[in-house]
């Protein structure tokens, strides 16, 4: 039984990002592996055997509350990260794992320091489709954030093709098996190639190989069509064209 922990789903699910955990569980089941999603709101609720961690995005009004709860999980999260358990963090969930969040008034909310970099104020809020080119293929989603991100230039998730991302031409950060991004959607539903990469890591830790099930193949065609609609609207080549991952 694979166990996927989703942290603080009541506070960190503004854009439906907690559903990324359900995407992982469902695709694992389609591939013939039992899986469950466990909501974690305190350290005592974090399962001893945790195969993946999902952290969604939340509102700025809940940042300090969410950070304080996550601090109680900090040591356990570091253990999981060190042991190679994949972590997917979205938006403010990612920012809370960073060195800290700088606000426009000059104050700073210290983060957990698990991933390099910090969130810094943007001149204008980024609200648009976000498309990036990554080693996993083209990734598409929606961004909605008031902060840029610095310190991740050496290890981004990908290069921005359209949108703002980190604000430096790159998007997200990858450190070991920790994957952080501004992409909403939820990102794994819209980009199953990334979900399958995480599942490959998860199952490899159990000495098993991952192969997408037949149902996943059908669903992936729908996701690809949706990504291509976004690409065409933004003037990018659809996937399957020679420039599809440029």
């Amino acid at each position: 039984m694979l166990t996927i922990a989703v942290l603080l789903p009541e506070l960190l699910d503004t854009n439906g990002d907690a559903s990324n955990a359900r995407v992982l569980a469902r695709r694992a089941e389609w591939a013939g592996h039992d899986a469950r999603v466990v909501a974690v709101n305190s350290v005592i609720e974090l399962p001893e055997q945790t195969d993946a961690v999902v952290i969604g995005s939340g509102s700025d009004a809940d940042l300090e509350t969410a950070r304080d709860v996550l601090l109680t999980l900090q040591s356990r999260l570091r253990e999981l990260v060190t042991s190679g358990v994949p972590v997917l963090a979205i938006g403010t969930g990612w920012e809370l794992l960073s060195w800290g969040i700088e606000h426009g008034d000059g104050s700073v909310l210290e983060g957990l320091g698990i991933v390099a970099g910090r969130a810094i104020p943007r001149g204008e809020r980024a609200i648009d489709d976000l498309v990036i080119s990554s080693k996993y293929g083209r990734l598409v989603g929606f961004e909605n954030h008031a902060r840029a991100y610095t310190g991740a230039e050496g290890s981004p998730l990908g290069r921005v093709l359209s949108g703002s991302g980190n604000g430096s031409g790159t998007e997200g950060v990858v450190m070991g098996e920790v994957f952080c991004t501004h992409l909403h959607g939820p990102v794994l539903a819209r980009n199953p190639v990334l979900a399958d990469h995480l599942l490959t890591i998860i199952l490899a830790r159990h000495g098993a190989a991952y192969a997408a099930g037949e149902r996943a193949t059908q669903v992936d065609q729908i996701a690809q069509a949706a990504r291509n609609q976004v690409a065409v609207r933004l003037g990018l080549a659809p996937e399957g064209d020679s420039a599809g991952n440029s």
Side-chain angles (χ1 to χ4, degrees), residues 175-192:
M175 295 190 65
E177 309 302 356
V178 181
F179 299 80
C180 304
T181 181
H182 293 106
L183 289 165
H184 302 295
V187 61
L188 297 187
R190 299 187 72 175
N191 304 278

Side-chain angles (χ1 to χ4, degrees), residues 155-212:
S155 53
L157 177 62
R159 177 174 59 88
V160 173
L161 299 177
S162 182
S164 299
N166 295 348
S168 59
T170 63
E171 159 56 17
V173 60
V174 177
M175 295 190 65
E177 309 302 356
V178 181
F179 299 80
C180 304
T181 181
H182 293 106
L183 289 165
H184 302 295
V187 61
L188 297 187
R190 299 187 72 175
N191 304 278
V193 63
L194 184 56
D196 286 351
H197 179 70
L198 296 177
L199 286 167
T200 298
I201 297 170
I202 293 168
L203 288 167
R205 298 183 73 250
H206 288 275
Y210 172 77

Side-chain angles (χ1 to χ4, degrees), residues 16-73:
D17 302 306
S19 295
N20 284 305
R22 294 200 297 272
V23 173
L24 287 174
R26 184 57 56 88
R27 293 183 72 85
E29 291 168 353
W30 289 342
H33 304 277
D34 291 334
R36 63 171 182 156
V37 174
V38 176
V40 176
N41 294 290
S42 68
V43 66
I44 62 173
E45 294 177 344
L46 186 63
E48 181 65 28
Q49 177 60 47
T50 298
D51 296 295
V53 176
V54 170
I55 310 172
S57 187
S59 70
D60 278 9
D62 294 324
L63 277 178
E64 188 167 352
T65 299
R67 191 279 311 272
D68 290 347
V69 177
L70 289 175
L71 279 174
T72 68
L73 296 160

